[in-house]
Amino acid sequence: MNGWLRLFDPARIASLRRRLVWQFLVLSAALVLGLFLTVGWVADRASRASQDAVLGAAVTAITEGIRSVDDGLELDLPYATFSMLGAMGDERIFYALAVADRVVTGYDDLPAPPEPALDMVPIFWTADYRGARLRLSAVARPMLIDNRLRPVTVTLGQTRLGQAAIARDTARSAAWAALVFLVVALPVALLAAQAVLSPIRSLAEVMGRRGPRDLRPVRHPTPRELAPLLRALNGLIARLRGALDLAETFIFEAAHRIRTPLSLVRTEAELALSETTDEATRIRLRRMVRAIGESSRSANQILDHAMVMYRSDQFAAAPLDLAALTRAVVRAVAPLADMRDIALSQAGLDSPCPIEGDERMLEIALRNILDNAVKYAAPEGRIAVSLRREGPMAVLRVQNDGRGLSDDPAQLMARFRRGGNVGDIGGSGLGLTIVTEVAAAHRGRFRLEPGEREGTCALLHLPLA
Amino acid sequence: MRLAALAAGLIALVLASPARAFEIEQERRFGPADGTPIQVLSTTDTAAFAPVLEDFVARHPGRSIRYVQAASTEIFAAIHDQDARFDLVISSAMDLQMKLANDGFAAEVEMEAPGLPGWARWRQQLWGMALEPVVTLASRQALRDLPLPRTRRDLIALLRENPDRFRGRIAAYDPQVSGVGYFLIAQDDQVSDGFWRLAEVMGRLNARLFCCSGQMIEELRSGRVSIAYNVVASYAARFRPDDPDLVQLGFEDYIFAIVRSAFVPVNAPDPEGARLLLSYLLSDPAQRLIAASAGVALVPGTGPAPSPQLRPIRLDAGLLVYDDRLRRAGLLAEWRAALVQPQAGP
Ligand SMILES: Nc1ncnc2c1ncn2[C@@H]1O[C@H](COP(=O)(O)OP(=O)(O)O)[C@@H](O)[C@H]1O
Ligand SMILES: [Mg+2]
């Protein structure tokens, strides 16, 4: 019983669509039942009324056929009236003609009227007689019999099987019509439910298509009923973005505030180094300068990372030439490579390579890739930078010789993760994280793989404009 | 169309019947002598109905029928007042059958009878099973040179013009004894204005009254009467082919056709057997046999189609009016007044 009820509880049906269809079905079934009962009732009333009219007319006609004659009453019981009364559904007919309370002809034991019949106005009632339910009508009329005025009452009763059957048939037809209508309406209801729910689906699709860091407010057109949901969603997004902004600004600020005093300390340490001659102090000071350099590079990386995060939130792409940008970055790292006697070769950087992107972000990414190449290349080694097009993508390839990879490249992309091959080479472990994020913001991808013969190869794919 | 005038006291006599056993005319058994038979109470002449019943027992081995023939008023009284127990009641007195059904003595029988016309059935209770034209028979020998009357008007003229030849030689139903006789007079009264003139003429010629068609035909064949008015044709059919003297007068104004009907009483001891017999009676083979003896088919296609002047009487609630005490008493009074005339003693 309980489980049965629970099946009908709309709140328990997980699908909105199914819930709508269920409710439609339940309502429609109630409608069909209601129609059946109402039409049955109305048809019964209407046919009963019209049959009462016929019965009343018949009993009146019989009464009018009574004549008073010398030796009693004369009655012309009309054949046609009886034939007509019985016509609908072969009804049984009973009658009685009574003078005062004595039945003169007809059925002696026919139920008497519940109230005295009035002069020529038929009264109607229902009674059981000889195993059947009868509708009866009676008319009374005073007549002169043996010089005395005496009341003559005619009672006429008929079964109403035909009328009941007609009312039942009518109700059944109405119910069938409603049922057919329901069957026809069901697919329509399914479609309607689908249509009603389509804005929800399209909103979900729009949300699903968004990039992982896309925190712009949702501007999708929705029906009025969904506006509160959309407002709540946008409110949530705004709060989230506010929190992120705050965190990034804070990191930005913090890195900045560390960097400035660090460079001051470094200048001071270098000055002290040039002024002192005590070898032990010099060694100490040199270590200090180095550590400070590391720290400020780390701070720079953190700053860059914060910058990349920030800019990919507010991503604003503009047309730019990847070849020119790469040339510029290569030029910037060239002195570092020179210091380690590394040969830098370039290919494919002469012809322009137009892409849509954020120049600042891309520059940071390229510098990190090239920094790594210089850092991990063998002394007096080689770095080959090449740019080419592969289908809809521009592919930048930076190949360096040297120690090669010792870890799973995918894991090296994580924040602050450094490889086991680093040795005494300084670094923060943020470089590849930055590159990956820049690639993702541009709908491109970044990969690190072992070089063809030796060393490492970094591959950056970016969609062409 | 004039109707009866009557004091209430007079009416009481007519239908008041003291509790007594009803009168049986004939009783016969069809089929094997052992086992419980299907009990049939019927007005139909046993000899006329025998071929149909024999066909039934031939088709249903193990079944037998006890066929009791009685007058229609006896049958009515037996069922209505004496609680007689039969499985199937067959009668040509349509008004009495209708009253029995209306008063709740007939059981509902679920049965298909697709060929049966709607007017020959009342609910699932009263089933028409034969159409019986009501004709007037004449003896060719008695008429001799006289032209055959073609309408009732012709008949009246014929009787009036030859009173001596027809005095005491006209046969008619006695409506006070015969249910069918009364019913036919009521029909004549309703349909034709000239009927009472005919009745008067017959009364003046000292017409003889009989209880049943069979007796009238016997009198006619033995030469004791010349004309028999209102004879059920199925009786006549039994003799006509081998009796060239019998002429059937098919009046052109109208010929009634009574629907002989059957019902299963609510207290039938063997309703299953009754249903079996009834559905056989309504089946094509039985209808063919019945139509052959009646000369006309009730179920279309089982025999000769009805002629245009044939007026089948419908089985419907209108028949109830004929049984009305006032109406009946009035009609019989009028009949007596017309027929039993003081100057024409027996
Ligand atoms: N060109 C390369 N050759 C060899 N190993 C590399 C190269 N680029 C990156 N790696 C490895 O990936 C790790 C992560 O790189 P990155 O995020 O730039 O941090 P780091 O500050 O250590 O350079 C490095 O620690 C190193 O082990
Ligand atoms: Mg690095």
Side-chain angles (χ1 to χ4, degrees), chain A residues 69 71 73-75 77-79 82-83 86 90-95 97 102 104-108 130 159 161, chain B residues 3-8 11 99 101-104 121-123 190 316-322 324-327:
Chain A
V69 290
D71 47 356
L73 286 180
E74 195 181 79
L75 169 61
L77 206 53
Y79 171 85
F82 269 58
S83 186
D90 284 344
E91 305 298 355
R92 293 167 71 179
I93 299 173
F94 302 96
Y95 69 98
L97 174 82
R102 198 167 47 83
V104 176
T105 186
Y107 291 78
D108 299 316
R130 291 190 186 224
T159 55
L161 301 173
Chain B
L3 242 248
L6 242 273
I11 311 154
K99 185 165 164 63
N102 187 66
D103 289 4
R121 204 183 83 184
W122 190 74
R123 290 210 193 152
Q190 187 166 320
D316 76 8
L319 294 171
L320 293 172
V321 303
Y322 302 120
D324 181 59
R325 275 178 250 168
L326 281 185
R327 189 177 180 129

Side-chain angles (χ1 to χ4, degrees), chain A residues 44 156 385:
Chain A
D44 189 57
L156 188 61
V385 178

Side-chain angles (χ1 to χ4, degrees), chain A residues 315-333:
Chain A
F315 191 71
L320 59 91
D321 180 5
L322 184 61
L325 189 63
T326 312
R327 282 200 307 272
V329 177
V330 168
R331 228 181 355 260
V333 297

Side-chain angles (χ1 to χ4, degrees), chain A residues 372 375-376 400 404 412 417-419 421-422 427-429 431-432 456:
Chain A
N372 278 352
K375 273 198 320 195
Y376 299 110
N400 63 281
L412 294 175
R417 175 68 71 89
R418 307 202 63 208
N421 60 346
V422 292
S428 63
L432 293 187
T456 309

Side-chain angles (χ1 to χ4, degrees), chain A residues 4-322:
Chain A
W4 187 222
L5 270 182
R6 227 176 298 144
L7 199 67
F8 286 93
D9 181 3
R12 297 196 60 86
I13 299 173
S15 153
L16 266 186
R17 195 172 97 122
R18 219 177 293 163
R19 196 190 293 193
L20 278 175
V21 171
W22 249 119
Q23 278 169 358
F24 169 82
L25 279 179
V26 170
L27 275 179
S28 308
L31 210 74
V32 170
L33 188 73
L35 205 65
F36 176 72
L37 295 176
T38 319
V39 171
W41 183 70
V42 169
D44 189 57
R45 265 180 53 130
S47 58
R48 190 191 303 252
S50 64
Q51 291 240 305
D52 273 359
V54 173
L55 188 63
V59 75
T60 307
I62 293 172
T63 311
E64 275 165 359
I66 305 173
R67 284 176 298 279
S68 183
V69 290
D70 293 346
D71 47 356
L73 286 180
E74 195 181 79
L75 169 61
D76 192 351
L77 206 53
Y79 171 85
T81 303
F82 269 58
S83 186
M84 203 173 65
L85 269 184
M88 189 190 275
D90 284 344
E91 305 298 355
R92 293 167 71 179
I93 299 173
F94 302 96
Y95 69 98
L97 174 82
V99 177
D101 283 334
R102 198 167 47 83
V103 174
V104 176
T105 186
Y107 291 78
D108 299 316
D109 51 348
L110 200 63
E115 63 207 76
L118 291 175
D119 193 22
M120 287 316 277
V121 180
I123 59 164
F124 297 92
W125 75 101
T126 304
D128 288 326
Y129 179 64
R130 291 190 186 224
R133 166 130 304 189
L134 291 194
R135 184 70 176 160
L136 294 124
S137 179
V139 160
R141 179 183 166 189
M143 292 191 79
L144 208 56
I145 300 170
D146 298 334
N147 292 321
R148 274 172 56 206
L149 203 57
R150 311 189 65 186
V152 171
T153 311
V154 175
T155 308
L156 188 61
Q158 64 173 162
T159 55
R160 286 284 168 86
L161 301 173
Q163 180 242 322
I166 285 175
R168 225 173 16 244
D169 279 359
T170 312
R172 212 170 291 157
S173 312
W176 270 115
L179 217 61
V180 168
F181 179 77
L182 194 148
V183 168
V184 172
L186 188 61
V188 179
L190 281 169
L191 280 180
Q194 197 133 346
V196 163
L197 297 177
S198 77
I200 297 181
R201 211 170 21 246
S202 84
L203 182 63
E205 257 164 36
V206 164
M207 295 302 295
R209 265 204 309 273
R210 289 194 152 208
R213 304 199 48 88
D214 186 350
L215 289 179
R216 287 169 302 161
V218 183
R219 297 251 176 271
H220 188 65
T222 53
R224 207 177 322 135
E225 287 76 6
L226 283 182
L229 174 67
L230 199 63
R231 259 200 309 279
L233 198 63
N234 279 338
L236 182 70
I237 291 175
R239 281 199 301 282
L240 193 64
R241 198 170 55 180
L244 279 175
D245 277 355
L246 203 67
E248 273 160 20
T249 327
F250 177 78
I251 294 166
F252 213 72
E253 197 89 325
H256 208 68
R257 278 178 189 267
I258 291 166
R259 207 161 57 155
T260 321
L262 269 182
S263 59
L264 193 72
V265 172
R266 181 186 172 135
T267 320
E268 288 300 318
E270 279 170 349
L271 259 175
L273 187 64
S274 63
E275 278 166 13
T276 189
T277 49
D278 176 38
E279 200 46 40
T281 311
R282 283 185 68 97
I283 290 170
R284 206 156 270 160
L285 279 175
R286 220 174 265 129
R287 263 193 231 137
M288 224 168 108
V289 168
R290 232 178 88 147
I292 290 168
E294 284 294 314
S295 297
S296 81
R297 258 201 305 281
S298 280
N300 269 340
Q301 288 277 65
I302 291 171
L303 208 57
D304 279 352
H305 183 251
M307 160 92 72
V308 163
M309 295 291 269
Y310 181 76
R311 290 186 84 102
S312 60
D313 279 353
Q314 329 268 314
F315 191 71
L320 59 91
D321 180 5
L322 184 61

